Amino acid sequence: MSEFHGSASRGPAPEPSRTPPPRTRATRLRHRLAELRGADVPAKALDARALAALAANPGCRRRAILDGAGVDKAKLASALGAPSGFGQSQFALTRGNAFEAKVKADGGAELLRLAHTRLDPGAKPPEAAAVPDLTAQGPEGRTARTALALREATRAGGWTLLDHPMLALDVAGSLAFLEPDAVVVHPDGSWSVVEIKSFPMLDGSADPAKVGAAARQAAVYVLALEDVAARLDPAPRVRHRVLLVCPKDFSNLPAGSAVDVRKQRAVTARQLARLTRIEEIADALPEGTCFAPDRDTEELTAAVAAVPATYAPDCLSTCELAFHCRERARAAGAVTRLGRPLRAELGGLTTVEDVLAAARGELGDPDDPAVAALRRAAALRAEALQEARAREVAAVCR
C-alpha cells in the first residue's frame, strides 16, 4: 500500500517521446539506395561476376551506384531503348546446373576427391566428409550460418564441404552477398574456393579467356573468405589456389585443375579499394533521381546521364548498359570508346575532336608527349600522302 502511494506522489508518468531515434549512417544509405532503385522495386543481388567486372572498371561511377543500389541493369537498358544481349542463355544455365549437380552428388564425393588430388594430396583422403546444413532466413542469416559452419569445420580437423555458402563483402560502403559454388575446409583447417563451370577442359586445359574470367570471379570469393577468417582467432589460412572443375573433354565427367588466383586477388582488392564510396555518388545526384524501369524514358535518360560513366569496348561483354553508354560516348566523341590503352596514351585529350585539333597544331602544349606524338604522326601521314599523290601524277604523265 505504501509503495502504491509512493508511486502516486511522484505524479503521472511522462509520455514516451514520439520522436524516432536518429537513423544510423548505414540505415540512411539503405533508404537512399531504395529511393534510387524505386520504392517497390526489389533489389538485384550483386554477385561475384558483377563485382569482378566492376573492379575491372573502377572509374565508372554509373555502374558503381547502379550495382550498389541493386538496380536491374538489363531492365533499365530495355527501358532506355538500348537492350543488351549480355548474359548466359537458358540452355547454358540448364547444362551448368546439371553438371554441378553431378559433381556434388553422393555428398560431394567426386568434388572432394578432386580437391584432395589437385589441392592437398598430402592430406588424408576425404573418406567421411561433413556437409553441414547452411539453411537460414535471408542473406544475413545465411552469412552468419556459413561463418559458424566454417568455424566449426576448422576446429573439427577433417574434410568439410560447404555447398553454396553465403559470404558478405563490403563494396564501396554497400554490402554485397556472394554465393560461391562451394568451399572446402581441409584437415589442416585451411579453406579453398571451388568454381564449377560448364565449359570443357580439353586434354587437361581449357579456354584461357574463360579460365581467366573464372579466376577473377574466384578471387572475389577469396577476398570475402579472408574477411571471415580475419574474425577468427587464430585466423585460418585461405588458400590462393582454387579448384576449377569442368567437364572432361567432350564428356560429362568432371575434371579438376588448381588455379592460382594471387594476381587476380591483388588486382581486385586494389581496384575495389579505389571505388568511390556509394554514399558520395548518391549524395551528388539531383533530388528525386530514380532508376525504376517503369519511369518515363526521358526521365530515365536524364537520371542515368546524371551519373558519370567510363565506357570502354570491354563493357560490351560485362555490362548490360554497354549499348546505351556506347551511344552516348559516340555522341560525345569520347576517346574511351576506342579502348583503355589508347585513352591512357592520350593524357588530357578526352575527345576525338581534341585529338584531331592537337594533331593539326591548333590545341595542346607542344611539350606534352601525347601532343608531340600526334603532331609527329600527322606530319608523317601528310608526307606519305604527298608522296603517294606525286607517284600518281608521275604515273599519269607517263
Side-chain angles (χ1 to χ4, degrees):
M1 190 71 171
S2 60
E3 183 179 352
F4 173 80
H5 283 295
S7 299
S9 64
R10 289 194 293 268
E15 292 186 6
S17 173
R18 296 184 180 182
T19 304
R23 291 185 295 179
T24 64
R25 182 179 180 181
T27 303
R28 286 197 303 270
L29 177 59
R30 283 198 296 270
H31 279 266
R32 178 62 174 138
L33 295 180
E35 291 171 358
L36 292 174
R37 185 174 63 249
D40 301 324
V41 180
K44 188 177 187 297
L46 186 61
D47 59 16
R49 189 189 302 268
L51 268 182
L54 181 60
N57 191 8
C60 188
R61 291 189 166 206
R62 183 174 297 170
R63 172 150 197 169
I65 191 65
L66 292 176
D67 282 347
V71 175
D72 190 326
K73 297 193 297 297
K75 292 182 179 179
L76 179 59
S78 297
L80 290 169
S84 171
F86 172 79
Q88 286 184 299
S89 68
Q90 189 59 43
F91 172 75
L93 289 172
T94 302
R95 183 182 59 186
N97 290 337
F99 178 68
E100 181 177 337
K102 181 180 179 65
V103 172
K104 294 179 178 178
D106 300 324
E110 182 62 17
L111 189 154
L112 288 165
R113 184 190 68 80
L114 291 172
H116 175 252
T117 303
R118 301 299 182 185
L119 300 179
D120 201 0
K124 63 179 181 181
E127 296 175 352
V131 184
D133 181 13
L134 302 179
T135 305
Q137 186 68 30
E140 292 87 354
R142 290 184 59 198
T143 301
R145 181 69 189 91
T146 296
L148 177 61
L150 283 168
R151 182 166 66 248
E152 292 174 345
T154 302
R155 292 172 179 170
W159 287 95
T160 300
L161 172 64
L162 277 67
D163 185 7
H164 283 288
M166 183 67 74
L167 307 172
L169 185 65
D170 184 275
V171 182
S174 181
L175 205 59
F177 293 99
L178 311 171
E179 187 176 350
D181 293 328
V183 169
V184 170
V185 178
H186 298 250
D188 63 358
S190 59
W191 305 346
S192 292
V193 171
V194 178
E195 272 291 282
I196 302 174
K197 298 297 183 183
S198 59
F199 56 81
M201 192 175 292
L202 306 175
D203 294 329
S205 61
D207 183 343
K210 293 181 179 179
V211 172
R216 289 189 293 274
Q217 187 173 339
V220 176
Y221 297 137
V222 169
L223 285 172
L225 269 182
E226 287 177 347
D227 278 359
V228 180
R231 293 192 291 271
L232 301 182
D233 188 21
R237 177 168 66 99
V238 179
R239 295 178 178 237
H240 292 161
R241 293 173 76 232
V242 305
L243 178 65
L244 176 63
V245 182
C246 301
K248 182 179 181 181
D249 298 327
F250 297 102
S251 69
N252 202 34
L253 299 175
S257 176
V259 179
D260 193 327
V261 299
R262 282 177 295 181
K263 178 181 178 181
Q264 291 84 353
R265 180 217 164 274
V267 170
T268 302
R270 184 170 63 250
Q271 299 292 63
L272 289 178
R274 289 176 55 196
L275 287 172
T276 304
R277 295 191 65 83
I278 298 293
E279 60 262 40
E280 294 178 16
I281 304 175
D283 290 343
L285 294 177
E287 191 68 28
T289 300
C290 182
F291 303 107
D294 58 353
R295 295 292 180 101
D296 181 79
T297 302
E298 292 184 4
E299 186 180 349
L300 273 181
T301 302
V304 171
V307 193
T310 306
Y311 171 78
D314 300 349
C315 298
L316 292 172
S317 60
T318 59
C319 183
E320 297 90 336
L321 273 182
F323 290 166
H324 173 80
C325 295
R326 183 176 64 178
E327 287 179 14
R328 295 302 182 269
R330 284 175 174 172
V335 296
T336 52
R337 63 189 174 90
L338 303 177
R340 290 194 184 92
L342 181 59
R343 171 68 189 90
E345 293 289 337
L346 293 173
L349 303 172
T350 58
T351 67
V352 174
E353 184 178 346
D354 288 347
V355 171
L356 295 177
R360 293 192 297 264
E362 302 169 358
L363 182 73
D365 182 358
D367 294 330
D368 186 332
V371 174
L374 286 169
R375 292 180 182 177
R376 175 60 177 159
L380 291 173
R381 178 178 182 274
E383 182 180 339
L385 289 175
Q386 187 175 2
E387 291 180 358
R389 291 193 193 99
R391 286 195 298 269
E392 289 178 2
V393 171
V396 170
C397 290
R398 285 199 296 268

